[in-house]
Amino acid sequence: MLTFEELGLKPEILKAILEIGFETPTAIQQKTIPHLLNSKQDLIALAQTGSGKTAAFGLPVINQIDSNSKKTQSLVLCPTRELAIQIANDFNAYTKFSNRLDVLPVYGGASIETQIKALNRGAQIVVGTPGRVVDLIKRNKLKLEDIEWVVLDEADEMLNMGFKDDLDFILSHTPESRQTLLFSATMSKEVLRISNNYMSNPEEISSGKRNQGADKVDHFYYIVKAKDKYLALKRIADINPDIYGIIFCRTKRETQEISDQLVADGYNADCLHGDLSQAQRDAVMGRYRKKHLQMLVATDVAARGLDVNEITHVINYNIPDDLETYTHRSGRTGRAGKAGISMAIIGPRDVNKIKQLEKVLGKSFTKADVPAAEAVIEKQLMSFVDKVKSTEVDEKQMEPFIENIAAQFEDLSREDLIKKFVSVEFNKVLEYYKNSNDLNQAAKPGRDSEKGDRRRKEGNFNKLFLNIGQKDNLNAGTLLGWINGLQSVPNGIEFGKIDVQRSFTFMEVESQHEQTILDALNGSEFDGRKVAAEPKTGGGPRKSNRPEGKRHSGGGSGFKKRGGDRKPGGRARVKAGSGGRRR
Ligand code: AMP
């Protein structure tokens, strides 16, 4: 393995690396640094966050920037404001001992005037989100004619977030002579399109197998009924008293609900989703980074800018429908050489999705049992005992009181005394787990093998109309997976025929559960789109002649809203460091 010195970086950069504490280059750095220092050939690197990719492109680019010129020589594009700031901070650390280099992060949601002033002063490296970069190019403030290196960081994420047109615009405005570096965790069709259109004969390197999650991540899944998911989550948290985890939910509402429940149950948690203001998001991320929060409940989109190395557990509250999402989620643990755990809480019929993930990731998942109450209690007690044993006693402060206190306990035996002290902390836990059930469920065959069964009940099915369809990346499988994952959908509801059209869908549901499903779907979000569902009557997709008895209340849209919607920002608050766990 080559050292940083042997890779050919300048002494002042080596000094900075030493100060940061990097000892040996990571696998991706071993490959990219010599390539970028010695060749102008474009580069595609398949690398996850956590692989050291920022230094993989940052160090060799910085090594070659001409600090005597104020012109912008490198443009780094990334999906989120947080990542732009992070990259710029990392670059500043790498250039600590170099001649003055200006690295400017530019992103939306902040004053463009300030960014323009900084650009006018000159910045050799600009790190930005695509929307703001386009804006600055159109205003003729960001000049691209001297760009030598364009980095597309997390290219798949940028494309997932809808920046395709912006990337096309930016890349088509950069000089032909540039070297383009594309970093992506996954190689989707869209990423390939970008590389075909804007890169010439790129060298392709990867720090591992394609699409493979971090090597040090172990994958587990738990099978529970939909109604028991939250209880399972709590047991997982309780059996891991030192958890520093992130819980991924599919919708903003679910994210808020789970976070609120955790907070109400005494856990040290908060949430991150798109309805929060930037200031609120920054505050939550800051507290999580400082470990003032133990559990962060987040949507995929909101968690994108979060860059934290020590996450112990990634918990998939729903199994995502696509591999990319799972890869990104699980890649948040097991970073920077540390071990990590990725867990999925799934329904009895979701096991086939695990099998698919195993196949594509090339990793096996272990079926784990949701811990029994006794195991959780024992773990919590032992953790408490360890805490007591390692607590430092301030003898001096204690001294004036200890005699009196000891006298109070004189007639208690040592054993009774221990029991009483432990009970102060644990009575609530013991009470909570007193009559708790086994939450584990056996796997059941997936929906596909049930077709025969479904037809059997055909007479009892009602047809629903949904306003989402193929154009929302929906198919029958993803629809069922999504519905199964909704908290308010109890287990065991039968669905009949599902007919996914381009912009809408018909689906059959057992008639006695029609209202439950309508209530669950209306107001939910699928892939960022608000879902509207109604009973289908007659021939057309959107007939409004519903039977009177089934007419929904709730405003002009004709769709019933579920209660419990929260106003943006109406979030639960936890005091920093309020780590007590009560139920
Ligand atoms: P990244 O993939 O760029 O998000 O980096 C993940 C983490 O790994 C960051 O905290 C980096 O500071 C750290 N890192 C990057 N390169 C190295 C290295 N060669 N040795 C140790 N840590 C590193």
Side-chain angles (χ1 to χ4, degrees), residues 4 22 24-26 29 48-54 307 309 335-336:
F4 279 115
F22 298 172
T24 47
T26 64
Q29 292 161 3
Q48 314 266 332
T49 53
S51 58
K53 65 184 173 57
T54 314
D307 183 55
N309 277 344
R335 296 175 50 146

Side-chain angles (χ1 to χ4, degrees), residues 20 33 54 61 64 68 112 128 136 153 179 218 235 244 254 271 290 292 315 322 339 375 435 447 450 455 472 486 574:
I20 296 166
I33 296 174
T54 314
V61 166
Q64 299 176 79
N68 295 318
I112 197 163
L136 290 165
D153 188 23
Q179 186 175 23
D218 289 321
R235 289 212 195 161
Y244 178 49
E254 188 179 57
C271 61
K290 288 186 190 137
H292 292 170
I315 301 179
D322 59 293
N435 297 313
R447 299 269 174 202
E450 285 183 282
R455 306 318 318 160
D472 304 295
L486 291 174
V574 197

